[in-house]
Amino acid sequence: MAKKTATASNSFSRAKSDAWFERAQQRIPGGVNSPVRACKSVNGKPIFFAKASGAHFTDVDGNTFIDFCMSWGPLILGHADPEVVAEVQAAATRGLSYGACHPGETAMAEAILEAFPPYEQVRLTSSGTEAVMTALRLVRGATGRPLIVKFEGGYHGHSDGLLVKAGSGLITGAQPGAEASSQGIPKEIAGLTISLPFGDLAEVEKLFAFHGSRIAAIILEPLPANNGLLMQTPEFLAGLRRITTQYGSLLIFDEVISGFRLHSGGYGALAGVLPDLVTLGKIVGGGMPIGAVVGPTKLMSLLAPVGPVYQAGTLSGNPVSIAAGLKTLEKLKNPAVYAHIAALGARLEAKLADAKIPWLRVRRIGSIVWPYFVEGPLPTRADEISPLAIERYNAMYNAVLDAGVYMPPSAYEVMFLSAAHAEAHVDELAAALIAAARAVA
Ligand SMILES: *Cc1c(COP(=O)(O)O)cnc(C)c1O
């Protein structure tokens, strides 16, 4: 049966997606289980997936799209990689959850540690959010200090203490804390987090000079990819390492996106900076729910039941998630995977450049691609992102979708290339973007 691919503007029906969205909104807040899926910022409505394989998914109306969102990062091998699915199926027949020890947990810890020298131990959770929550409790337990420092535009999951934005700026005052960026977070909790701009070591120094003895840790994405792609210099990361060490604070790299994305390991190793703890998620679950905290035994042994820092999970170390993750990590040992997806990224850049539309470009590292549709310097901090770039992405989004190409439904999110993408898919993306760009120009 021929695949129905959306080719011309609005040439395909979304009647069933629209009907499901109506129905979902009755019973699920906003019709979604994670807010950005509502497609509000791109003036769209959610497309309801029916099935997915490789680089494509098919919606409930029978339309097929090339997917460049890839479940927000986990699917580095593409949708439903046959070898991963086979492992998942085999694991499922052996039991969906044990709530008890099994060999896969240790195999997973060993597989992660092989890629993350010189760390020694891993605690598994069911999501990246949970991994970060655990890491924060651990650094507070280890240091006996209350404050956490993060950076504006970094995302670390939806836990209370991390849904904060910069406060009124008085970082040298008695109350340095940030403001909550969500209702429902008491100011006492938000106030334990300090949010600074990326890239500014002088601000970090100033903060530590006043509050260093109360700061448990700095947490950041060493490769910030949740608010555009705000690449930081190795010097910035090294500076954070130096300052935290100087003040007896700890450094956490949240590599939930970047872990195993650019090579079989973390971004910290590429930048030459080793944090005290690393948090992982997304790729290590191979498309199934997972999170992981990685660190030295000295810190990790503070976790219960060895130490006094409590952490637990009914589904932690889930055998089906581990089956998907282990097979994925095994396949990622083949460097050809990374070479392929990076080459696709370079091809996309070249194709866009051919169109000679100066603002039509992407910010890219390896297989992480952020469309940033404006000329001039590329932003390295959240407040440098041009509103025009966001406007253009939003204006072009639905035309690209109508051409059968699914991008993340937010201008602040990055696209992910996978092993299942081929040159032809990237060419279609480029062609759709160029056509949409000409239409808005
Ligand atoms: C996705 C993400 C998280 C949260 O992970 P979930 O599995 O969605 O809870 C945390 N940190 C970073 C850097 C992420 O990209």
Side-chain angles (χ1 to χ4, degrees), residues 34 72 126-130 132 154-158 221 225-226 254-258 279-282 290-291:
S34 198
W72 312 96
S126 297
S127 69
T129 296
E130 270 185 272
V132 170
Y155 179 69
H156 306 289
H158 64 275
E221 301 173 71
N226 273 292
D254 182 354
E255 300 229 38
V256 171
I257 278 187
S258 54
T279 49
L280 296 173
K282 298 197 170 107
I290 207 162

PDB file of all heavy atoms in Angstrom, residues 34 72 126-130 132 154-158 221 225-226 254-258 279-282 290-291, ligand 1:
ATOM      1  N   SER A  34       2.144  16.518  28.487  1.00  0.00           N
ATOM      2  CA  SER A  34       3.356  17.325  28.619  1.00  0.00           C
ATOM      3  C   SER A  34       3.074  18.554  27.749  1.00  0.00           C
ATOM      4  O   SER A  34       2.672  18.407  26.587  1.00  0.00           O
ATOM      5  CB  SER A  34       4.569  16.529  28.127  1.00  0.00           C
ATOM      6  OG  SER A  34       5.783  17.075  28.591  1.00  0.00           O
ATOM      7  N   TRP A  72      11.945  13.946  21.377  1.00  0.00           N
ATOM      8  CA  TRP A  72      12.739  14.931  22.124  1.00  0.00           C
ATOM      9  C   TRP A  72      14.142  14.433  22.487  1.00  0.00           C
ATOM     10  O   TRP A  72      14.759  14.953  23.413  1.00  0.00           O
ATOM     11  CB  TRP A  72      12.009  15.423  23.380  1.00  0.00           C
ATOM     12  CG  TRP A  72      10.597  15.819  23.110  1.00  0.00           C
ATOM     13  CD1 TRP A  72       9.484  15.044  23.276  1.00  0.00           C
ATOM     14  CD2 TRP A  72      10.128  17.073  22.579  1.00  0.00           C
ATOM     15  NE1 TRP A  72       8.363  15.730  22.886  1.00  0.00           N
ATOM     16  CE2 TRP A  72       8.720  16.981  22.454  1.00  0.00           C
ATOM     17  CE3 TRP A  72      10.760  18.254  22.198  1.00  0.00           C
ATOM     18  CZ2 TRP A  72       7.938  18.020  21.978  1.00  0.00           C
ATOM     19  CZ3 TRP A  72       9.965  19.295  21.718  1.00  0.00           C
ATOM     20  CH2 TRP A  72       8.579  19.171  21.615  1.00  0.00           C
ATOM     21  N   SER A 126      13.321   6.426  36.940  1.00  0.00           N
ATOM     22  CA  SER A 126      12.412   6.214  35.811  1.00  0.00           C
ATOM     23  C   SER A 126      12.295   7.420  34.893  1.00  0.00           C
ATOM     24  O   SER A 126      11.580   7.361  33.889  1.00  0.00           O
ATOM     25  CB  SER A 126      11.012   5.837  36.317  1.00  0.00           C
ATOM     26  OG  SER A 126      11.076   4.618  37.017  1.00  0.00           O
ATOM     27  N   SER A 127      12.944   8.541  35.219  1.00  0.00           N
ATOM     28  CA  SER A 127      12.900   9.709  34.334  1.00  0.00           C
ATOM     29  C   SER A 127      14.097  10.594  34.616  1.00  0.00           C
ATOM     30  O   SER A 127      14.750  10.472  35.666  1.00  0.00           O
ATOM     31  CB  SER A 127      11.610  10.523  34.556  1.00  0.00           C
ATOM     32  OG  SER A 127      11.645  11.143  35.829  1.00  0.00           O
ATOM     33  N   GLY A 128      14.365  11.505  33.694  1.00  0.00           N
ATOM     34  CA  GLY A 128      15.432  12.476  33.884  1.00  0.00           C
ATOM     35  C   GLY A 128      15.131  13.399  35.059  1.00  0.00           C
ATOM     36  O   GLY A 128      16.031  13.760  35.835  1.00  0.00           O
ATOM     37  N   THR A 129      13.873  13.786  35.178  1.00  0.00           N
ATOM     38  CA  THR A 129      13.463  14.639  36.304  1.00  0.00           C
ATOM     39  C   THR A 129      13.865  14.010  37.632  1.00  0.00           C
ATOM     40  O   THR A 129      14.443  14.660  38.508  1.00  0.00           O
ATOM     41  CB  THR A 129      11.931  14.858  36.273  1.00  0.00           C
ATOM     42  OG1 THR A 129      11.596  15.575  35.086  1.00  0.00           O
ATOM     43  CG2 THR A 129      11.442  15.624  37.489  1.00  0.00           C
ATOM     44  N   GLU A 130      13.547  12.730  37.758  1.00  0.00           N
ATOM     45  CA  GLU A 130      13.882  12.015  38.996  1.00  0.00           C
ATOM     46  C   GLU A 130      15.381  11.919  39.221  1.00  0.00           C
ATOM     47  O   GLU A 130      15.856  11.989  40.366  1.00  0.00           O
ATOM     48  CB  GLU A 130      13.362  10.580  38.899  1.00  0.00           C
ATOM     49  CG  GLU A 130      11.994  10.344  39.395  1.00  0.00           C
ATOM     50  CD  GLU A 130      11.736   8.848  39.324  1.00  0.00           C
ATOM     51  OE1 GLU A 130      11.285   8.385  38.259  1.00  0.00           O
ATOM     52  OE2 GLU A 130      12.022   8.150  40.311  1.00  0.00           O
ATOM     53  N   VAL A 132      17.616  14.045  38.297  1.00  0.00           N
ATOM     54  CA  VAL A 132      18.083  15.357  38.765  1.00  0.00           C
ATOM     55  C   VAL A 132      17.666  15.587  40.220  1.00  0.00           C
ATOM     56  O   VAL A 132      18.457  16.080  41.031  1.00  0.00           O
ATOM     57  CB  VAL A 132      17.547  16.473  37.837  1.00  0.00           C
ATOM     58  CG1 VAL A 132      17.806  17.837  38.445  1.00  0.00           C
ATOM     59  CG2 VAL A 132      18.178  16.363  36.455  1.00  0.00           C
ATOM     60  N   GLY A 154      18.528  26.846  31.083  1.00  0.00           N
ATOM     61  CA  GLY A 154      18.797  25.426  31.310  1.00  0.00           C
ATOM     62  C   GLY A 154      17.510  24.754  31.737  1.00  0.00           C
ATOM     63  O   GLY A 154      16.697  25.370  32.428  1.00  0.00           O
ATOM     64  N   TYR A 155      17.311  23.520  31.338  1.00  0.00           N
ATOM     65  CA  TYR A 155      16.129  22.771  31.784  1.00  0.00           C
ATOM     66  C   TYR A 155      16.597  21.500  32.470  1.00  0.00           C
ATOM     67  O   TYR A 155      17.481  20.812  31.979  1.00  0.00           O
ATOM     68  CB  TYR A 155      15.222  22.417  30.604  1.00  0.00           C
ATOM     69  CG  TYR A 155      14.001  21.615  31.007  1.00  0.00           C
ATOM     70  CD1 TYR A 155      12.985  22.200  31.750  1.00  0.00           C
ATOM     71  CD2 TYR A 155      13.869  20.268  30.660  1.00  0.00           C
ATOM     72  CE1 TYR A 155      11.868  21.463  32.136  1.00  0.00           C
ATOM     73  CE2 TYR A 155      12.753  19.527  31.036  1.00  0.00           C
ATOM     74  CZ  TYR A 155      11.750  20.126  31.769  1.00  0.00           C
ATOM     75  OH  TYR A 155      10.641  19.404  32.162  1.00  0.00           O
ATOM     76  N   HIS A 156      15.984  21.219  33.593  1.00  0.00           N
ATOM     77  CA  HIS A 156      16.411  20.051  34.359  1.00  0.00           C
ATOM     78  C   HIS A 156      15.229  19.233  34.841  1.00  0.00           C
ATOM     79  O   HIS A 156      15.262  18.641  35.906  1.00  0.00           O
ATOM     80  CB  HIS A 156      17.275  20.499  35.543  1.00  0.00           C
ATOM     81  CG  HIS A 156      18.434  21.359  35.132  1.00  0.00           C
ATOM     82  ND1 HIS A 156      19.513  20.856  34.457  1.00  0.00           N
ATOM     83  CD2 HIS A 156      18.640  22.694  35.227  1.00  0.00           C
ATOM     84  CE1 HIS A 156      20.367  21.849  34.181  1.00  0.00           C
ATOM     85  NE2 HIS A 156      19.854  22.970  34.642  1.00  0.00           N
ATOM     86  N   GLY A 157      14.153  19.228  34.060  1.00  0.00           N
ATOM     87  CA  GLY A 157      12.957  18.516  34.472  1.00  0.00           C
ATOM     88  C   GLY A 157      12.035  19.435  35.250  1.00  0.00           C
ATOM     89  O   GLY A 157      12.313  20.622  35.415  1.00  0.00           O
ATOM     90  N   HIS A 158      10.929  18.867  35.746  1.00  0.00           N
ATOM     91  CA  HIS A 158       9.865  19.725  36.276  1.00  0.00           C
ATOM     92  C   HIS A 158       9.782  19.738  37.795  1.00  0.00           C
ATOM     93  O   HIS A 158       8.738  20.078  38.358  1.00  0.00           O
ATOM     94  CB  HIS A 158       8.525  19.317  35.651  1.00  0.00           C
ATOM     95  CG  HIS A 158       8.092  17.934  36.017  1.00  0.00           C
ATOM     96  ND1 HIS A 158       8.513  16.818  35.328  1.00  0.00           N
ATOM     97  CD2 HIS A 158       7.297  17.483  37.003  1.00  0.00           C
ATOM     98  CE1 HIS A 158       7.970  15.749  35.873  1.00  0.00           C
ATOM     99  NE2 HIS A 158       7.235  16.122  36.896  1.00  0.00           N
ATOM    100  N   GLU A 221      23.300  22.042  32.082  1.00  0.00           N
ATOM    101  CA  GLU A 221      23.523  21.226  30.899  1.00  0.00           C
ATOM    102  C   GLU A 221      24.838  21.745  30.314  1.00  0.00           C
ATOM    103  O   GLU A 221      24.911  22.905  29.910  1.00  0.00           O
ATOM    104  CB  GLU A 221      22.428  21.446  29.864  1.00  0.00           C
ATOM    105  CG  GLU A 221      21.010  21.138  30.294  1.00  0.00           C
ATOM    106  CD  GLU A 221      20.016  21.581  29.209  1.00  0.00           C
ATOM    107  OE1 GLU A 221      19.981  20.931  28.152  1.00  0.00           O
ATOM    108  OE2 GLU A 221      19.310  22.592  29.405  1.00  0.00           O
ATOM    109  N   ALA A 225      20.586  22.529  25.579  1.00  0.00           N
ATOM    110  CA  ALA A 225      19.832  22.221  24.358  1.00  0.00           C
ATOM    111  C   ALA A 225      18.334  22.209  24.599  1.00  0.00           C
ATOM    112  O   ALA A 225      17.581  21.575  23.867  1.00  0.00           O
ATOM    113  CB  ALA A 225      20.300  20.876  23.802  1.00  0.00           C
ATOM    114  N   ASN A 226      17.891  22.906  25.629  1.00  0.00           N
ATOM    115  CA  ASN A 226      16.463  22.935  25.923  1.00  0.00           C
ATOM    116  C   ASN A 226      15.847  24.308  25.743  1.00  0.00           C
ATOM    117  O   ASN A 226      14.655  24.505  25.989  1.00  0.00           O
ATOM    118  CB  ASN A 226      16.218  22.467  27.360  1.00  0.00           C
ATOM    119  CG  ASN A 226      16.074  20.960  27.459  1.00  0.00           C
ATOM    120  OD1 ASN A 226      15.090  20.406  26.966  1.00  0.00           O
ATOM    121  ND2 ASN A 226      17.044  20.294  28.055  1.00  0.00           N
ATOM    122  N   ASP A 254      24.092  17.995  33.855  1.00  0.00           N
ATOM    123  CA  ASP A 254      22.852  17.342  33.463  1.00  0.00           C
ATOM    124  C   ASP A 254      22.982  16.982  31.987  1.00  0.00           C
ATOM    125  O   ASP A 254      22.808  17.822  31.112  1.00  0.00           O
ATOM    126  CB  ASP A 254      21.665  18.272  33.720  1.00  0.00           C
ATOM    127  CG  ASP A 254      20.334  17.615  33.379  1.00  0.00           C
ATOM    128  OD1 ASP A 254      20.351  16.487  32.837  1.00  0.00           O
ATOM    129  OD2 ASP A 254      19.286  18.242  33.641  1.00  0.00           O
ATOM    130  N   GLU A 255      23.298  15.729  31.751  1.00  0.00           N
ATOM    131  CA  GLU A 255      23.516  15.252  30.377  1.00  0.00           C
ATOM    132  C   GLU A 255      22.356  14.370  29.911  1.00  0.00           C
ATOM    133  O   GLU A 255      22.546  13.406  29.174  1.00  0.00           O
ATOM    134  CB  GLU A 255      24.850  14.493  30.292  1.00  0.00           C
ATOM    135  CG  GLU A 255      26.064  15.358  30.664  1.00  0.00           C
ATOM    136  CD  GLU A 255      27.193  15.276  29.636  1.00  0.00           C
ATOM    137  OE1 GLU A 255      26.894  15.220  28.424  1.00  0.00           O
ATOM    138  OE2 GLU A 255      28.362  15.281  30.072  1.00  0.00           O
ATOM    139  N   VAL A 256      21.159  14.711  30.366  1.00  0.00           N
ATOM    140  CA  VAL A 256      19.989  13.918  29.969  1.00  0.00           C
ATOM    141  C   VAL A 256      19.809  13.954  28.441  1.00  0.00           C
ATOM    142  O   VAL A 256      19.460  12.942  27.832  1.00  0.00           O
ATOM    143  CB  VAL A 256      18.717  14.381  30.713  1.00  0.00           C
ATOM    144  CG1 VAL A 256      17.470  13.715  30.132  1.00  0.00           C
ATOM    145  CG2 VAL A 256      18.817  14.050  32.202  1.00  0.00           C
ATOM    146  N   ILE A 257      20.087  15.101  27.822  1.00  0.00           N
ATOM    147  CA  ILE A 257      20.065  15.150  26.349  1.00  0.00           C
ATOM    148  C   ILE A 257      21.425  14.788  25.767  1.00  0.00           C
ATOM    149  O   ILE A 257      21.524  14.005  24.828  1.00  0.00           O
ATOM    150  CB  ILE A 257      19.673  16.557  25.839  1.00  0.00           C
ATOM    151  CG1 ILE A 257      18.156  16.719  25.854  1.00  0.00           C
ATOM    152  CG2 ILE A 257      20.182  16.772  24.384  1.00  0.00           C
ATOM    153  CD1 ILE A 257      17.658  17.989  25.218  1.00  0.00           C
ATOM    154  N   SER A 258      22.495  15.355  26.314  1.00  0.00           N
ATOM    155  CA  SER A 258      23.793  15.253  25.642  1.00  0.00           C
ATOM    156  C   SER A 258      24.499  13.922  25.879  1.00  0.00           C
ATOM    157  O   SER A 258      25.399  13.562  25.115  1.00  0.00           O
ATOM    158  CB  SER A 258      24.698  16.414  26.078  1.00  0.00           C
ATOM    159  OG  SER A 258      24.798  16.486  27.496  1.00  0.00           O
ATOM    160  N   THR A 279      23.906  13.487  35.395  1.00  0.00           N
ATOM    161  CA  THR A 279      22.576  12.898  35.289  1.00  0.00           C
ATOM    162  C   THR A 279      22.321  12.528  33.835  1.00  0.00           C
ATOM    163  O   THR A 279      22.710  13.247  32.909  1.00  0.00           O
ATOM    164  CB  THR A 279      21.478  13.856  35.780  1.00  0.00           C
ATOM    165  OG1 THR A 279      21.664  15.137  35.167  1.00  0.00           O
ATOM    166  CG2 THR A 279      21.540  14.017  37.281  1.00  0.00           C
ATOM    167  N   LEU A 280      21.675  11.379  33.653  1.00  0.00           N
ATOM    168  CA  LEU A 280      21.365  10.867  32.313  1.00  0.00           C
ATOM    169  C   LEU A 280      19.889  10.527  32.222  1.00  0.00           C
ATOM    170  O   LEU A 280      19.188  10.438  33.239  1.00  0.00           O
ATOM    171  CB  LEU A 280      22.199   9.605  32.027  1.00  0.00           C
ATOM    172  CG  LEU A 280      23.719   9.756  31.966  1.00  0.00           C
ATOM    173  CD1 LEU A 280      24.380   8.379  31.836  1.00  0.00           C
ATOM    174  CD2 LEU A 280      24.133  10.656  30.810  1.00  0.00           C
ATOM    175  N   GLY A 281      19.426  10.310  31.011  1.00  0.00           N
ATOM    176  CA  GLY A 281      18.043   9.903  30.742  1.00  0.00           C
ATOM    177  C   GLY A 281      17.936   9.688  29.242  1.00  0.00           C
ATOM    178  O   GLY A 281      18.910   9.349  28.589  1.00  0.00           O
ATOM    179  N   LYS A 282      16.764   9.926  28.689  1.00  0.00           N
ATOM    180  CA  LYS A 282      16.543   9.888  27.241  1.00  0.00           C
ATOM    181  C   LYS A 282      17.256   8.719  26.534  1.00  0.00           C
ATOM    182  O   LYS A 282      16.770   7.603  26.593  1.00  0.00           O
ATOM    183  CB  LYS A 282      16.881  11.246  26.627  1.00  0.00           C
ATOM    184  CG  LYS A 282      15.943  12.337  27.208  1.00  0.00           C
ATOM    185  CD  LYS A 282      15.880  13.622  26.440  1.00  0.00           C
ATOM    186  CE  LYS A 282      14.741  14.482  26.987  1.00  0.00           C
ATOM    187  NZ  LYS A 282      15.132  15.623  27.772  1.00  0.00           N
ATOM    188  N   ILE A 290      13.449   6.164  31.660  1.00  0.00           N
ATOM    189  CA  ILE A 290      14.642   5.907  32.477  1.00  0.00           C
ATOM    190  C   ILE A 290      15.291   7.223  32.901  1.00  0.00           C
ATOM    191  O   ILE A 290      15.057   8.279  32.294  1.00  0.00           O
ATOM    192  CB  ILE A 290      15.669   5.036  31.707  1.00  0.00           C
ATOM    193  CG1 ILE A 290      16.543   4.225  32.680  1.00  0.00           C
ATOM    194  CG2 ILE A 290      16.553   5.904  30.825  1.00  0.00           C
ATOM    195  CD1 ILE A 290      17.261   3.056  32.034  1.00  0.00           C
ATOM    196  N   GLY A 291      16.097   7.145  33.922  1.00  0.00           N
ATOM    197  CA  GLY A 291      16.993   8.222  34.325  1.00  0.00           C
ATOM    198  C   GLY A 291      18.139   7.571  35.078  1.00  0.00           C
ATOM    199  O   GLY A 291      18.033   6.419  35.508  1.00  0.00           O
TER     200      GLY A 291
HETATM  201  C1  LIG B   1      14.553  15.947  29.227  1.00  0.00           C
HETATM  202  C2  LIG B   1      15.448  16.531  30.247  1.00  0.00           C
HETATM  203  C3  LIG B   1      15.218  16.372  31.621  1.00  0.00           C
HETATM  204  C4  LIG B   1      13.974  15.728  32.150  1.00  0.00           C
HETATM  205  O1  LIG B   1      13.875  14.384  31.795  1.00  0.00           O
HETATM  206  P1  LIG B   1      12.421  13.700  31.834  1.00  0.00           P
HETATM  207  O2  LIG B   1      12.716  12.275  31.481  1.00  0.00           O
HETATM  208  O3  LIG B   1      11.593  14.434  30.840  1.00  0.00           O
HETATM  209  O4  LIG B   1      11.922  13.854  33.212  1.00  0.00           O
HETATM  210  C5  LIG B   1      16.153  16.836  32.506  1.00  0.00           C
HETATM  211  N1  LIG B   1      17.260  17.458  32.082  1.00  0.00           N
HETATM  212  C6  LIG B   1      17.525  17.642  30.781  1.00  0.00           C
HETATM  213  C7  LIG B   1      18.793  18.299  30.364  1.00  0.00           C
HETATM  214  C8  LIG B   1      16.613  17.203  29.815  1.00  0.00           C
HETATM  215  O5  LIG B   1      16.859  17.431  28.528  1.00  0.00           O
END
